[in-house]
Amino acid sequence: MSDSRKIAFIGLGIMGSPMAANLVKAGHHVTGFNLQQDAIDALVAAGGHGATSIADAVKDAEVVITMVPADPQVEQVILGEGGVLENAKPGTLVIDMSSITPQTSIKVAKAAKEKGIRTVDAPVSGGEAGAVEAVLSIMVGADDAADFAEAKPLFDALGTTVIHVGPAGAGQTVKAANQLIVAVNIQVLAEAVVFLENAGVDLGAALDVLGGGLAGSTVLNRKKANMINREFAPGFRIDLHHKDMGIVTDAARAVGAALPVGAVVAQLVASARANGDGSLDHSALLRGVERLSGRTVA
């Protein structure tokens, strides 16, 4: 492809692996690095290339994409010794697609600018299924509209809703709002499931009809099977949503926004984690409602 880019992809986890593979499918030259070798091997099997270090991955890259769990990892990978800014060439476009605080994104943008490196923060929504199917929603913060325009073809290979929402850090602010809405929706869906089951209603039929009305949502469509079948293999872990609810709480406090429902749900997410459910999909918030309702949860 004439518009093929040389991309370094750092962080090949639940989300990063399918995203990197979709960039390969779109015709880009993708070199991946991850702490676990099996993830690198999977990218190579999909037609990509493997690197032995961050420095190795980014040395010839035009674009660097990072997709790691939280702020400490972003700071280590991008700002730390042996990291992206130490090894990328001036003019490189660094796209951080992790979900972190707006403050960290702004810090990264400032440090990168001092080295002549451009940055975009572009967190995503859609979970593992959205990453696999390339239907993610991508909220983009960029100081320069030209940097967004350059990144847009790459985002189009990963998602179906791609919007520039403001300057550096703005993408992370919108992602925080997204995680607030998702957590509240999952929690109330879990409560509805327990209510319906206790009432003896056909749960599958009930959720189907609810999904066709005003109560319908992407959360209901994506998570109802998990709840009906009690299958909570992680598409997005409670541990990570707990981290995100902390970001929401801090960001809201900083701008003077009251989040009364969000505060309660943040505590319920924390409770699920404290009860050993942190490694499960966030639809396992159902287990917390079951505990509160006096059910025995295996």
Side-chain angles (χ1 to χ4, degrees):
M1 289 177 59
S2 59
D3 57 353
S4 175
R5 307 300 301 276
K6 291 182 179 179
I7 302 170
F9 203 111
I10 313 299
L12 303 171
I14 288 175
M15 298 291 289
S17 286
M19 290 166 67
N22 283 330
L23 288 167
V24 172
K25 289 178 186 176
H28 299 289
H29 184 284
V30 182
T31 300
F33 176 72
N34 197 69
L35 294 179
Q36 288 75 39
Q37 183 63 39
D38 59 343
I40 299 174
D41 294 341
L43 177 61
V44 172
H49 306 269
T52 58
S53 65
I54 293 173
D56 183 32
V58 308
K59 62 183 179 183
D60 295 318
E62 300 168 289
V63 179
V64 177
I65 297 176
T66 53
M67 187 60 160
V68 295
D71 292 62
Q73 290 82 12
V74 168
E75 294 206 26
Q76 179 182 357
V77 164
I78 299 180
L79 305 178
E81 184 178 350
V84 173
L85 296 190
E86 213 175 69
N87 292 283
K89 297 177 293 187
T92 302
L93 179 62
V94 175
I95 304 172
D96 179 37
M97 305 191 78
S98 316
S99 292
I100 58 173
T101 63
Q103 292 85 355
T104 296
S105 286
I106 293 168
K107 178 180 179 180
V108 165
K110 182 179 179 181
K113 187 175 183 179
E114 292 173 355
K115 290 180 172 287
I117 293 172
R118 299 167 297 141
T119 60
V120 170
D121 54 284
V124 305
S125 178
E128 182 183 14
V132 171
E133 297 164 16
V135 294
L136 293 168
S137 178
I138 306 174
M139 45 224 82
V140 185
D143 287 333
D144 191 332
D147 293 337
F148 170 71
E150 182 178 339
K152 179 69 161 50
L154 306 183
F155 295 146
D156 288 340
L158 303 174
T160 51
T161 303
V162 180
I163 298 178
H164 183 195
V165 296
Q172 298 298 348
T173 300
V174 176
K175 178 59 187 289
N178 179 87
Q179 295 305 82
L180 169 64
I181 293 168
V182 170
V184 170
N185 270 268
I186 291 175
Q187 176 64 29
V188 77
L189 174 60
E191 292 178 15
V193 165
V194 172
F195 166 58
L196 291 165
E197 288 182 333
N198 280 9
V201 173
D202 181 326
L203 181 60
L207 294 180
D208 284 344
V209 71
L210 290 172
L214 191 58
S217 68
T218 301
V219 164
L220 194 159
N221 292 338
R222 291 273 191 186
K223 300 301 181 180
K224 66 181 180 180
N226 297 50
M227 293 192 181
I228 291 170
N229 300 319
R230 268 54 174 189
E231 294 178 352
F232 302 119
F236 189 79
R237 299 194 312 274
I238 282 174
D239 278 340
L240 291 176
H241 216 134
H242 173 70
K243 177 263 297 182
D244 288 346
M245 293 307 286
I247 292 173
V248 172
T249 301
D250 289 345
R253 183 183 297 114
V255 298
L259 306 179
V261 175
V264 171
V265 174
Q267 292 302 310
L268 292 168
V269 173
S271 174
R273 187 168 179 265
N275 277 283
D277 292 343
S279 64
L280 302 180
D281 186 76
H282 49 182
S283 56
L285 286 177
L286 175 64
R287 290 162 58 87
V289 181
E290 290 184 306
R291 291 185 188 101
L292 289 171
S293 299
R295 294 184 180 182
T296 300
V297 179

